[in-house]
Amino acid sequence: MIKIALDAMGGDHAPKAIIEGAVQAAQNSGGRFEIVLTGPQGIIEAELKSLGYQGGGIEIHHAPEMVAMDDSPSTVLKSKPNSGLVSCVTLQKEGRVQASLSAGNSGAMMAACLMILGRVGAIPRPAIACVLPAFGRKIVMVDCGANVDEKAQALYHFGICGSIYAENILKINNPKVGLLNVGEEEKKGPEVLQEAFQLFKKSSLNFYGNIEGRDILHGTTDVVVAPGYVGNVVLKLMEGFFELAMKSFGPLLKTTDEGKNFLKEWDYSNVGGALLLGLKGTGIITHGRADAKVICNGLETAYQMVKEEVAKKISERLSAETVAPDKG
């Protein structure tokens, strides 16, 4: 049985929204997976009782310490090992669960996954992968903010991670990989992107070449590789566009088939979180303002990641890379 640990106290609307999302996921799972809620046992039990939930599929792991959104990652790891956030990752390291999910302090969750689970192969740090809408289908972009000063080989490794995710979760055969740049020409962009281009060009990946910002929405490639700071700007811009569209046209969008399709494709709460790829395990970080719907979808995403053995496949591929590792 696949088990997923969920930080019950992480996020702006914890614990109510988090536990409500867990209940929804347990009810929808059909016995495919179980959820371990980590946090103060009394608080979790009270929330489950208020929701009237008496079904199976949910366990509680008592973790009394609390993590604030502004706590430094190093402080959390050193001084709050019995917090819900750290515990949900530790349980995976111990083999008691197969995935970890938190809507709490994203820096602390990243640090916990990196330090407790570890990274695979020569990848310097895990990358954040996000699923994006692109003209009626989904694509994946990596990195979306975990790194800010990557070297060429790190970008190449991110492409491998994204390709494996696209193939196994998005079910895209031989996914096309594009390198986000300021132009399509091979010699465009900063030196690090030019070096990464050559690594992709020589690889066995289905490398399309450089793409520009508009190509993301056109779905020119199935995987978009970007430096972390660029990917994060793109991600936040797209989220802001959706929020603007909802504020400006929300009621109208709900009255037509086209509008409903737009909402289905663009509402990032349908995805459930950002994926940490390149770990010796499965870690998912979701919005601090996550509601029950986001948590429910995040748990489903975690289940699919474990079921399709994405982390294992990434590990095998990166471990087999023969290019000498760099340090950044």
Side-chain angles (χ1 to χ4, degrees):
M1 172 63 69
I2 292 174
K3 290 188 176 184
I4 304 162
L6 172 62
D7 173 16
M9 304 306 295
D12 298 341
H13 306 299
K16 182 175 177 57
I18 308 302
I19 296 174
E20 184 179 351
V23 168
Q24 291 178 12
Q27 293 171 333
N28 296 339
S29 73
R32 291 174 298 133
F33 60 88
E34 294 181 352
I35 302 157
V36 179
L37 291 169
T38 60
Q41 184 168 350
I43 293 176
I44 297 173
E45 288 176 342
E47 287 294 339
L48 288 172
K49 183 177 180 180
S50 71
L51 292 168
Y53 187 71
Q54 298 179 335
I58 294 179
E59 301 176 18
I60 300 173
H61 175 83
H62 181 53
E65 296 172 342
M66 307 295 287
V67 174
M69 295 298 279
D70 58 353
D71 280 347
S72 73
S74 59
T75 297
V76 172
L77 289 173
K78 293 177 182 178
S79 64
K80 299 181 179 180
N82 293 316
S83 62
L85 187 152
V86 177
S87 294
C88 79
V89 182
T90 301
L91 289 175
Q92 186 177 169
K93 178 67 174 180
E94 295 173 348
R96 297 162 66 182
V97 304
Q98 289 74 50
S100 309
L101 172 66
S102 177
N105 185 317
S106 58
M109 183 61 174
M110 166 67 84
C113 288
L114 177 60
M115 299 305 295
I116 296 173
L117 298 178
R119 59 185 174 84
V120 298
I123 194 168
R125 281 168 57 89
I128 294 177
C130 294
V131 177
L132 304 178
F135 280 20
R137 68 188 190 91
K138 298 294 187 182
I139 64 171
V140 61
M141 181 169 67
V142 57
D143 179 30
C144 292
N147 306 272
V148 294
D149 190 24
E150 305 94 328
K151 292 185 180 179
Q153 190 181 340
L155 293 173
Y156 169 56
H157 286 162
F158 295 167
I160 292 174
C161 292
S163 182
I164 291 173
Y165 177 86
E167 186 168 6
N168 289 275
I169 302 298
L170 300 183
K171 303 302 180 183
I172 300 172
N173 184 43
N174 195 24
K176 290 187 291 185
V177 179
L179 184 61
L180 188 59
N181 207 330
V182 295
E184 297 179 356
E185 296 84 358
E186 187 170 331
K187 297 298 183 180
K188 281 284 189 175
E191 184 176 347
V192 66
L193 291 184
Q194 295 182 38
E195 292 176 4
F197 188 102
Q198 296 305 316
L199 291 177
F200 279 113
K201 188 177 178 180
K202 296 173 184 177
S203 75
S204 61
L205 293 174
N206 185 9
F207 182 51
Y208 175 87
N210 286 331
I211 63 170
E212 298 178 288
R214 62 175 174 268
D215 296 317
I216 298 174
L217 297 181
H218 290 164
T220 301
T221 63
D222 307 301
V223 180
V224 177
V225 177
Y229 76 94
V230 176
N232 189 262
V233 170
V234 171
L235 176 66
K236 297 299 174 58
L237 178 63
M238 294 181 73
E239 290 178 353
F241 167 74
F242 175 71
E243 292 167 0
L244 175 63
M246 288 299 295
K247 184 177 292 186
S248 302
F249 310 110
L252 180 62
L253 290 171
K254 297 176 182 178
T255 62
T256 66
D257 290 340
E258 292 81 2
K260 292 175 183 177
N261 286 335
F262 172 83
L263 294 176
K264 180 180 179 181
E265 294 297 324
W266 276 82
D267 187 352
Y268 45 81
S269 68
N270 291 325
V271 176
L275 318 161
L276 295 176
L277 302 183
L279 292 171
K280 293 179 180 178
T282 300
I284 297 179
I285 298 172
T286 193
H287 275 292
R289 59 182 182 275
D291 59 12
K293 178 183 178 182
V294 172
I295 296 302
C296 181
N297 289 329
L299 289 165
E300 178 64 31
T301 298
Y303 165 74
Q304 293 296 333
M305 291 279 287
V306 175
K307 177 176 175 288
E308 297 297 333
E309 298 185 315
V310 172
K312 178 181 177 182
K313 291 172 182 176
I314 288 174
S315 177
E316 290 173 348
R317 176 63 187 273
L318 289 181
S319 297
E321 284 297 305
T322 57
V323 180
D326 62 46
K327 302 298 181 182

